[in-house]
Amino acid sequence: MSRLVLVLGDQLSMDVAALRAADKTQDVVVMAEVREEGTYVRHHPKKIALVLTSMRKFASDLRDAGWTVDYTTLDDPENAGSVVGELLRRAEQRGASEVIATEPGEWRLVDKLRFAPLKIALHDDDRFIASHAMFEEWAKGRKTLRMEYFYREMRRKTGLLMDGDAPAGGQWNFDHDNRKPAPGDIQIQGPLTFEPDDITRNVLELVAREFGDHFGDLEPFEFATDRDGALGALAHFVEHALPRFGDYQDAMLDGQAYLYHAVLSPYMNIGLLTPLEVCDAVQKAFDAGDVPVNAAEGFIRQIIGWREYVRGIYFLEGREYTQRNVLAHSRDLPAFYWGAETRMRCVRQVVGQTKANAYAHHIQRLMVTGNFALLAGADPAQVHDWYLSVYADAFEWVEAPNTIGMSQFADGGVIASKPYVSSGAYINRMSDHCKKCSYKVSKKTGEGACPFNLLYWDFLNRHRDRFENNARMGNMYRTWDRMRQDHRDAVLSDAARFLKRLDAGEVV
Ligand code: FAD
């Protein structure tokens, strides 16, 4: 009797575990575009279009490779509307009683499969370099789970940027070279873009019809939607952007959405590229002398370090991780996260780019929208929903630790040793937004003072009990304590006034 082989929308890899465990001469692949996956949060229309188009093309590649594929489109009247519903329907049609699946990247779906009334063999997703067992072994008995030490193990395990037992270039980490603000006149190519073909056009029409009211612009749609396209995007990045990736990794420029970033996370996260082949391409460019060590190391660290590490944390910490809120923050996420007006130029830029492209780079996510939400005391669950909705690369295993842990400190420091908060000075140093902002970054209080300046000290003051003994934050409290009392009072009362206006829905 044939078995069903489930392939989810972020499992579009020919050698994904479930396919390897199946027999293409007998088993039937099930792929389904289901409403439940498109709406459990209100995903950006570009993200939905990316996933659905890539699924359709992957199904066609599977058929070309000899697989039988039962594919259900979103508008199929028989569509059961959920992954489990579709498996049950196909099982009945095919007379199948067993399902082979690869572990999904979020607890929600893992549980749905575990508790489905079907016999499901769940295989580990070994497209990642660190298995659950390896991460658990690494984490066992450690007081803190800092990424840097995990990363060194991953360098040794993969052999990437290694000279024998030593790190290439004599250091594990070149981060201190990677904090240059970008000059305004730099030439930037941006990522490789793709014209929609007929399959993509059909999906775009479907998404416009079914999800047109979700936040985000559907068109222009320029993502790659198959493996060849994603490989082209990788080669383009390595040639045109990687050499300067390190230097300007943390920079932000008005009107420049991509700078020297890869924009490869959407492709890696749905399975069109593997993390190791991306790193191998970078290693090759480094070996050929085409990219400096700070760029190659900085980039490889993001992938075999951060990307693998956050996945390890997500599965290690368990199902309730997304509900953590150690700082007891409860403010509603302001409407300007969903496109309403704001006078803060940096936030407007990041949200505008996010709406247009379903993309923002790391420092924009961490130090602009994340920083503001944390300083303002926004409810981390709402912040998590926002990040999960609006980015094309957002899947819970990677989004939640970055949001709940790194950005909002809602996990109490599992990921970050201190909260990522800054006043306007940091944004001013790393970007040119402040020059064109209607607030003044140099003003610390009073009319026109940058809200990040007010909220930064308000946050530290509010959470003094928790943070003043943190070794990395003592200096901040000493600076605050050295300020004159009347200045501190003015900062706190201006911050309170700002937050009141924010809560009243005024344009701030
Ligand atoms: P580059 O800057 O060119 O980096 C190269 C690659 O490194 C990325 O493609 C990505 O795969 C990996 N990487 C870099 N930083 C991280 C990180 N912190 N965690 C995991 N992988 C990383 N990344 C996602 O893939 N999906 C998300 O939903 C997501 N949500 C985030 C939410 C917040 C609040 C923050 C602060 C970060 C989030 N990130 C997420 C991490 C990071 O911002 C993105 O991976 C990166 O911006 C993707 O763009 P890029 O491909 O141009 O990356």
Side-chain angles (χ1 to χ4, degrees):
M1 189 189 285
S2 69
R3 299 167 299 180
L4 302 184
V5 187
L6 176 66
V7 174
L8 296 168
D10 59 352
Q11 297 177 345
L12 309 182
S13 318
M14 279 292 170
D15 66 345
V16 76
L19 287 172
R20 290 207 320 275
D23 176 354
K24 77 164 81 157
T25 63
Q26 293 185 28
D27 299 329
V28 177
V29 175
V30 173
M31 295 180 72
E33 302 170 0
V34 294
R35 191 161 293 278
E36 187 172 73
E37 295 308 306
T39 53
Y40 68 91
V41 291
R42 289 168 64 83
H43 302 287
H44 195 297
K46 271 197 171 77
K47 176 184 180 185
I48 301 178
L50 169 70
V51 174
L52 298 191
T53 310
S54 304
M55 284 173 71
R56 289 184 184 193
K57 293 184 181 179
F58 187 73
S60 151
D61 290 346
L62 284 174
R63 287 189 182 114
D64 290 347
W67 289 93
T68 305
V69 183
D70 282 352
Y71 192 97
T72 312
T73 57
L74 191 86
D75 51 5
D76 182 334
E78 305 283 302
N79 191 323
S82 68
V83 170
V84 172
E86 274 297 290
L87 281 175
L88 288 168
R89 187 170 76 88
R90 294 299 190 182
E92 196 179 327
Q93 272 177 2
R94 292 277 179 183
S97 59
E98 272 181 57
V99 178
I100 306 171
T102 310
E103 183 185 68
E106 57 185 312
W107 287 113
R108 181 186 60 86
L109 214 44
V110 168
D111 288 342
K112 279 185 192 290
L113 293 185
R114 281 217 178 118
F115 300 119
L118 277 161
K119 186 171 170 212
I120 301 187
L122 263 190
H123 292 260
D124 281 355
D125 190 346
D126 54 10
R127 294 172 302 167
F128 292 88
I129 303 157
S131 64
H132 295 328
M134 180 195 163
F135 195 82
E136 281 161 21
E137 186 57 32
W138 172 77
K140 204 159 68 193
R142 283 174 194 265
K143 268 212 221 105
T144 58
L145 301 178
R146 295 293 162 249
M147 196 286 293
E148 185 62 29
Y149 300 106
F150 170 76
Y151 165 56
R152 291 178 193 181
E153 281 206 17
M154 296 297 278
R155 288 272 292 277
R156 291 192 189 95
K157 178 176 160 71
T158 58
L160 285 161
L161 294 181
M162 295 298 290
D163 285 336
D165 290 338
Q171 283 168 226
W172 290 106
N173 184 318
F174 287 81
D175 216 15
H176 57 83
D177 295 338
N178 289 359
R179 294 181 185 141
K180 297 191 181 75
D185 58 353
I186 50 176
Q187 296 299 312
I188 297 157
Q189 289 245 354
L192 193 61
T193 56
F194 297 82
E195 279 286 314
D197 56 16
D198 287 347
I199 299 176
T200 312
R201 281 260 144 249
N202 279 336
V203 171
L204 291 178
E205 279 165 25
L206 175 80
V207 173
R209 208 166 54 239
E210 300 291 334
F211 305 102
D213 59 340
H214 288 198
F215 170 79
D217 303 340
L218 178 58
E219 301 211 41
F221 181 86
E222 297 176 326
F223 283 120
T225 47
D226 57 22
R227 180 157 163 79
D228 284 349
L231 284 169
L234 169 60
H236 175 92
F237 164 69
V238 171
E239 185 180 346
H240 297 289
L242 177 63
R244 305 180 91 181
F245 171 85
D247 286 352
Y248 302 122
Q249 196 179 338
D250 288 1
M252 297 177 277
L253 278 182
D254 234 58
Q256 292 287 357
Y258 303 109
L259 291 166
Y260 298 105
H261 291 273
V263 199
L264 293 176
S265 50
Y267 308 139
M268 273 185 277
N269 294 356
I270 63 174
L272 298 183
L273 294 176
T274 71
L276 269 183
E277 77 187 335
V278 171
C279 292
D280 284 343
V282 172
Q283 171 86 57
K284 225 161 133 194
F286 174 69
D287 291 343
D290 297 338
V291 299
V293 68
N294 69 311
E297 189 283 315
F299 187 82
I300 283 176
R301 174 160 27 94
Q302 306 309 315
I303 295 187
I304 66 169
W306 281 111
R307 186 173 188 273
E308 295 286 328
Y309 165 83
V310 297
R311 176 175 184 265
I313 295 283
Y314 177 76
F315 281 102
L316 188 73
E317 291 293 309
R319 292 166 173 71
E320 49 65 63
Y321 186 77
T322 55
Q323 276 115 59
R324 294 204 192 157
N325 185 5
V326 298
L327 300 179
H329 282 172
S330 59
R331 174 159 279 109
D332 282 339
L333 197 66
F336 53 72
Y337 278 76
W338 300 106
E341 210 182 325
T342 170
R343 293 169 56 218
M344 291 178 282
R345 178 100 187 177
C346 54
V347 176
R348 200 162 69 230
Q349 282 281 313
V350 177
V351 174
Q353 285 170 19
T354 300
K355 178 172 177 287
N357 309 325
Y359 176 83
H361 69 68
H362 186 67
I363 291 300
Q364 294 178 311
R365 298 186 205 196
L366 186 65
M367 298 312 293
V368 178
T369 41
N371 188 16
F372 185 88
L374 177 56
L375 293 178
D379 170 10
Q382 291 185 38
V383 183
H384 160 57
D385 267 10
W386 186 79
Y387 279 100
L388 190 56
S389 309
V390 301
Y391 292 114
D393 60 17
F395 297 87
E396 200 172 270
W397 63 267
V398 54
E399 175 279 329
N402 271 295
T403 304
I404 296 289
M406 189 189 302
S407 161
Q408 299 301 297
F409 205 81
D411 65 1
V414 174
I415 289 185
S417 54
K418 73 174 185 57
Y420 280 95
V421 285
S422 80
S423 67
Y426 173 85
I427 295 170
N428 190 34
R429 190 162 64 249
M430 298 314 300
S431 80
D432 60 354
H433 301 318
C434 304
K435 290 193 190 87
K436 300 169 193 159
C437 186
S438 53
Y439 290 105
K440 276 215 168 346
V441 68
S442 57
K443 277 200 87 176
K444 313 288 186 220
T445 57
E447 188 54 37
C450 168
F452 283 87
N453 292 344
L454 304 172
L455 296 180
Y456 174 70
W457 293 116
D458 185 60
F459 172 89
L460 290 181
N461 185 58
R462 230 169 44 234
H463 292 296
R464 182 161 199 142
D465 284 353
R466 181 178 289 273
F467 295 127
E468 83 173 319
N469 295 322
N470 179 315
R472 298 185 62 202
M473 296 177 78
N475 274 342
M476 301 170 185
Y477 283 97
R478 280 191 287 280
T479 305
W480 174 241
D481 290 342
R482 276 197 303 271
M483 291 177 196
R484 285 194 359 227
Q485 183 66 45
D486 57 344
H487 177 73
R488 277 184 281 158
D489 291 345
V491 168
L492 297 182
S493 67
D494 284 357
R497 220 178 352 263
F498 176 86
L499 290 172
K500 206 165 159 197
R501 292 181 53 221
L502 185 72
D503 291 342
E506 289 181 34
V507 175
V508 294

